[in-house]
């Protein structure tokens, strides 16, 4: 009789263990490949830097973004029903963090790839230290980001575009073209 009770108890324990293991799927972020990864929203290259974010869908697909604002845009456009996990990177270490566990510093003037101004940190103290170092900004949690007014700082985008324009206009190749007479369209001969 004791043997039957022991076997029955063992069988129940095995079933409970198998059932609990099947219920929780673990999602892990994928590495960034700067040669091939492109932001799903803005089509810009995703750099392997602290601004990169990603969503892992329930079917295991990795959606990568160059800025947390782009990841938010994707969620607004597509909903979150297919999202298995969301990941951001700690600004200081570059380590992947679960979106819901991170703390965020925000200011419209913080420089981020797409000028959303939201930067992720592993803990509250790091985010507050960054805000203090910058002399501006506010501390946010992932819950706060749900109500955050996601806006691109157009002045910041214009400034970045102007810098890229100036760099290309003053590169050695551009100077050579100008000296050889190329790039003079629109001038009277």
């Amino acid at each position: 009789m004791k043997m039957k009770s022991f076997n029955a108890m063992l069988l129940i324990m095995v079933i409970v263990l198998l059932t609990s293991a099947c219920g929780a799927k673990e999602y892990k972020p994928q590495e960034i490949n700067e040669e091939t990864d492109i932001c799903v929203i803005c089509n810009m290259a995703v750099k392997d830097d602290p601004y990169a974010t990603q969503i892992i869908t329930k079917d295991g697909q990795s959606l990568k973004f160059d800025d947390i604002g782009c990841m938010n845009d994707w969620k607004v456009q597509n909903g979150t029903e297919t999202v298995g996990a969301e990941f951001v990177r700690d600004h200081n270490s570059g380590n992947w963090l679960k979106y819901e566990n991170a703390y965020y510093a925000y200011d419209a003037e913080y420089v981020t790839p797409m000028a959303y101004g939201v930067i992720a940190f592993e803990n509250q103290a790091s985010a507050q230290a960054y805000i203090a170092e910058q002399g501006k900004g506010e501390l946010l949690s992932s819950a706060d980001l749900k109500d955050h007014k996601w806006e691109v700082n157009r002045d910041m985008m214009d400034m970045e575009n102007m810098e890229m324009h100036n760099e290309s206009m003053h590169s050695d190749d551009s100077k050579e073209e100008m000296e050889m007479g190329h790039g003079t369209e629109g001038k009277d001969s």
Side-chain angles (χ1 to χ4, degrees), residues 169 173-174 176-187:
M169 289 302 293
D173 292 341
S174 296
E176 287 176 22
E177 285 181 9
M178 291 299 281
E179 289 169 4
M180 294 181 347
H182 297 279
T184 58
E185 299 83 12
K187 291 190 176 183

Side-chain angles (χ1 to χ4, degrees), residues 60-103:
Q61 182 182 8
S62 173
L63 306 173
K64 296 174 182 164
F65 308 91
D66 64 338
D67 189 301
I68 192 171
C70 289
M71 184 169 78
N72 182 72
D73 282 354
W74 187 91
K75 292 188 298 184
V76 168
Q77 292 174 22
N78 298 285
T80 57
E81 297 79 33
T82 62
V83 174
E86 300 171 66
F87 294 95
V88 295
R89 288 183 121 168
D90 176 59
H91 185 71
N92 295 326
S93 69
N95 292 334
W96 288 108
L97 310 169
K98 286 196 172 185
Y99 172 84
E100 65 273 13
N101 296 337
Y103 290 86

Side-chain angles (χ1 to χ4, degrees), residues 3 16 38 61 64 75 100 104 130 135 166 187:
M3 188 60 122
V16 168
I38 296 174
Q61 182 182 8
K64 296 174 182 164
K75 292 188 298 184
E100 65 273 13
Y104 302 89
Y130 184 83
N166 286 339
K187 291 190 176 183

